[in-house]
Amino acid sequence: MTEAVEHSVPLSSRRVTGSGLAMVAATLIALVSLIPLGFIVMVAAGSGWDETVRLVFRPKVGELLLNTLWLELITLPLSIVLGVTLAWLTERTDLRGAGLWAGLMVAPLGVPAFVQSYAWSSAFPSFHGLAGAVAIALISYFPFVYLPVAAQLRRLDPALEDNAASLGLRPLAVFMRVVLPQLRLSICAGALLVGLHLLGEYGLFVLMRYDTFATAIVDQFQSVYDGPAANLLGGVLVLCCVVLLGGEAVLRGDRRYARIGSGSARRAVPAPLGHWLVPSLLLLTAVAAVALGVTFVTLGRWLWFGGAAVWKLDQIGAALGQTALYALLAGLVATALAMPMAWIAVRSPGRWQRLLEAGHLYVGALPGIIVALALVAITVRVALPLYQTVATLVVAYALIFLPRALTGLRSSIAQVPVELERAAMNLGRSPVASVWQVTMRLAFPGIAASILMVALGAANELTATLMLAPNGTRTLATKFWALTSELDYAAAAPYAVLLIVVSMPLTLLLRRQSNRAIGQ
Amino acid sequence: MTLLSLTGVSRTYGEVVALDRVDLSVKVGGLTAVVGASGSGKTTLLRLIAGFEAPDAGRIEMGGTVLAGGSGFVPAHRRGIGLVAQEGALFPHLSAGANIAFGMEGSEQDRRVAELLRAVELDPALAQRMPHELSGGQQQRVALARALARRPRLMLFDEPFSALDAGLRANMREMVKARLGAEGITGILVTHDQQEALSFADQLVVLEDGRIVQAGDPRELYQQPRTERLARFLGDALVVDAAVAGGEAMTALGRVRVGKATAEGRARILLRPEQIRLVPWSEGQPAAEILSASFEGPITVVKFRANGATFTIKCSSAEAPVQGRASIIVLGTGHPVAAA
């Protein structure tokens, strides 16, 4: 009898229960992801006005602000110009081997910025300060602009450019008045990523001997754990992020630039380079040589000098094993945490869902260093046994890379028609079983990709790992960092090679993702 | 007087011949429609005229100036040829007004934008709207105004009405014709819609596999196409076997008048369904045995047999026979067509 009653429960109300559970889970996870923000509020509220004034309004902070300002003001325009120019060359001209060049222009993302910095500072020891910092940041981060701009160039409706020409505009004017305005969103998105990386990056700037908030925070942190100075600097850093995010939002505007209607299916006619061919090839070659060549040659040299002695396989193997374990755990945890949100975003979108999603996504804009500071503060004050444990480190990774997991998952779940889930329920599966056996099964490639994307990110994360890892932890990144700090460049080289090997697949994934986003 | 002339124009993409030795001339102030199935080369033809691409061979001239051919090539932005593309191709980052003013030079642009909006029968207040805030028909009108703003001598229309629904399409077509006529602008319309081509143009050009199959007055092409294939492409057709003698053709539908010049002997004769009337049966008339009649509102599709052959025509529902026998009356003349 009970069974009969249970069976008579209409499907719709069961579905509500199912998505209700997911909603509760997503809400809890969104709350967890608010921890770093809560920490900042706590710091601001708890430090007392006088101490805050004393710690924030001092020459050192002013100097850091100026340093940060210079860094952003010089690097951002250069990244935009370089990224857009290279994207146009590889996407819109009759350049031969454009596909290969495009690959080379994304490849610098596969070299962690601190490895890039290590190669340059060991090859040219006098190369440091603002110029060095800008140069290394530029070659490490310009692909963040290049990728979305190239993708957008490919999906622009060529009919618009045809029309502009038939309205009497020269090719350059067509680019400036029609193409460039439509690249605005991609440029803003790319530049925001560059700007946030500039704020959050630690290793690069330490090696270039350029003080930023991130380097100062780690310095402070290493002398006093959970000290008010580091925490307040963290607060200022978050303010900088907020300024950057706000600036981007203002520049981006709320206009819709999507193409209207389906547009023409044709691809744009490639612009003939003519006598610009040689300068263009020179530029591309120079970028590839500077962004990849120097690092690879330097690494090769150190490996040559070091010979077989630097390949301490036991140590390297241990670091590799530990890195793989942590990275995989991070991938699994982040993907599991992102799952309820991804499912809700696809299956029952709404206002509350958008709010929750914003909660999931904002941590991506925070530097890893802030997440680390927050988790240190929380564990030290509330849950000391968790301080400097693998669990805390994995949670930090999961929070830092939560947006990465979410975006990948959402698109792969969106590709599974809801009708299949309903069909499974009509055939007698419970809602949870339907989702698990149908949707998750079909979305599995996307789930695997999401785990991989997070794992690759965690594998070469340096700052949070330095701050949170249990004593004696030796991941590829921290071991590399320890050896580099001892100026043992030769011994660091094998780790650098492994970090690059770990990062390169990410560039392929990113490229595929940006191509798929535009349906190619 | 000829405004535009194409002589022996060819264009290939790799192995594919998109246009094969096309000759075409367009009169000043004329309206030409180029019709063809997809892949027939009509868009390529338009792109060559607009100057987005150069022909591999042949010559394009406008008003005595060589636009392409020999060593010369005038790029699109110097040709002064207007273009209204499929779905309008409005710049999504500019308001309707800014779109219209995009190619303008000189002062008083706001006033001219308002004038142009009125000319395309839109409220000048729409100038502030962004393209995605406009309906499909409004977008097309803005695109037309944008092209008109340059006062081009020649305007190209690349299937501009295909995204609109049927009522709006006819309305837009009439508006475009009226505007072009009022401004004395020559127009070339590319479309895959035969009815649109027939009603728009005073010169109809039919493209097939990159070649011009036939060009001329739309009425003439419709009634007297050279081939059966073209006859069917331009509309519903009844092509019947006939024996021609003395200005008449004996067909399964009875006697049909044919042109005086028609050669005697066996022939295939084209009749359009609207030339056939099925009237109440009377002795001595050619007979039709009604097989089925399916009602579709204003018209009824009638299937009938006459002299052993089966035909399907659309009749006015007011007089369509439903069953039994009817007499066949053939209006006008038949026209012989080649089998190919």
Side-chain angles (χ1 to χ4, degrees), chain A residues 222-275:
Chain A
Q222 278 166 349
S223 48
V224 192
Y225 292 87
D226 191 26
N231 288 347
L232 279 171
L233 284 179
V236 180
L237 179 55
V238 169
L239 280 183
C240 292
C241 291
V242 170
V243 168
L244 209 58
L245 287 165
E248 195 258 356
V250 168
L251 283 177
R252 174 161 38 101
D254 55 359
R255 283 186 177 176
R256 199 185 94 147
Y257 287 177
R259 69 204 245 170
I260 300 160
S262 54
S264 95
R266 227 162 10 82
R267 291 199 59 175
V269 181
L273 280 172
H275 52 268

Side-chain angles (χ1 to χ4, degrees), chain B residues 14-80:
Chain B
E15 299 282 289
V16 183
V17 182
L19 280 183
D20 188 11
R21 286 161 288 167
V22 164
D23 297 319
L24 176 66
S25 100
V26 174
K27 281 197 305 241
V28 172
L31 297 179
T32 299
V34 179
V35 65
S38 62
S40 59
K42 53 191 194 305
T43 299
T44 305
L45 181 69
L46 209 69
R47 294 178 59 75
L48 291 178
I49 297 172
F52 302 135
E53 285 174 50
D56 299 326
R59 194 180 167 83
I60 303 175
E61 282 176 76
M62 184 165 82
T65 316
V66 177
L67 296 181
S71 56
F73 179 75
V74 179
H77 65 272
R78 298 220 195 89
R79 287 194 181 188

Side-chain angles (χ1 to χ4, degrees), chain A residues 109-195:
Chain A
L109 284 183
V111 184
F114 56 89
V115 173
Q116 194 80 265
S117 197
Y118 142 89
W120 281 78
S121 64
S122 69
F124 310 103
S126 61
F127 188 62
H128 60 87
L130 178 62
V134 166
I136 305 301
L138 182 63
I139 58 175
S140 300
Y141 299 140
F142 83 85
F144 285 129
V145 177
Y146 172 87
L147 257 179
V149 169
Q152 177 69 3
L153 275 176
R154 245 169 296 161
R155 78 179 284 278
L156 284 188
D157 184 356
L160 295 178
E161 286 151 72
D162 288 352
N163 268 278
S166 80
L167 291 167
L169 262 64
R170 291 159 198 288
L172 183 66
V174 172
F175 182 82
M176 298 305 284
R177 287 182 59 189
V178 174
V179 178
L180 207 52
Q182 296 187 81
L183 296 179
R184 191 154 106 179
L185 286 187
S186 321
I187 292 174
C188 280
L192 178 65
L193 270 182
V194 175

Side-chain angles (χ1 to χ4, degrees), chain A residues 317-475:
Chain A
L320 192 61
Q322 203 161 39
T323 306
L325 178 69
Y326 290 1
L328 198 63
L329 280 174
L332 288 170
V333 171
T335 305
L337 289 181
M339 193 71 82
M341 190 64 245
W343 190 79
I344 291 169
V346 174
R347 291 292 189 244
S348 53
R351 201 179 284 171
W352 179 241
Q353 161 265 324
R354 278 200 295 278
L355 195 69
L356 282 184
E357 202 170 352
H360 279 66
L361 289 174
Y362 94 98
V363 273
L366 288 183
I369 202 168
I370 297 296
V371 175
L373 276 180
L375 288 181
V376 167
I378 301 275
T379 49
V380 165
R381 291 170 203 195
V382 183
L384 195 57
L386 286 176
Y387 177 59
Q388 286 205 329
T389 58
V390 178
T392 309
L393 183 61
V394 168
V395 169
Y397 286 151
L399 284 180
I400 293 170
F401 298 112
L402 194 60
R404 218 184 248 198
L406 182 59
T407 37
L409 275 183
R410 196 174 43 189
S411 60
S412 57
I413 292 180
Q415 281 165 13
V416 183
V418 67
E419 287 75 17
L420 292 182
E421 243 171 67
R422 293 192 183 135
M425 283 190 269
N426 280 335
L427 294 170
R429 296 281 189 288
S430 72
V432 173
S434 311
V435 171
W436 182 250
Q437 291 173 6
V438 177
T439 308
M440 293 308 158
R441 170 65 193 83
L442 289 173
F444 182 73
I447 297 173
S450 149
I451 294 173
L452 189 63
M453 294 274 279
V454 174
L456 291 175
N460 56 38
E461 209 288 334
L462 176 65
T463 329
T465 317
L466 283 177
M467 292 168 69
L468 289 173
N471 287 328
T473 299
R474 288 285 173 265
T475 67

Side-chain angles (χ1 to χ4, degrees), chain B residues 96-115:
Chain B
N99 261 285
I100 295 172
F102 190 89
M104 280 185 185
E105 284 150 10
S107 57
E108 295 194 38
Q109 296 194 348
D110 287 350
R111 186 183 55 76
R112 284 165 60 204
V113 167
E115 263 174 29

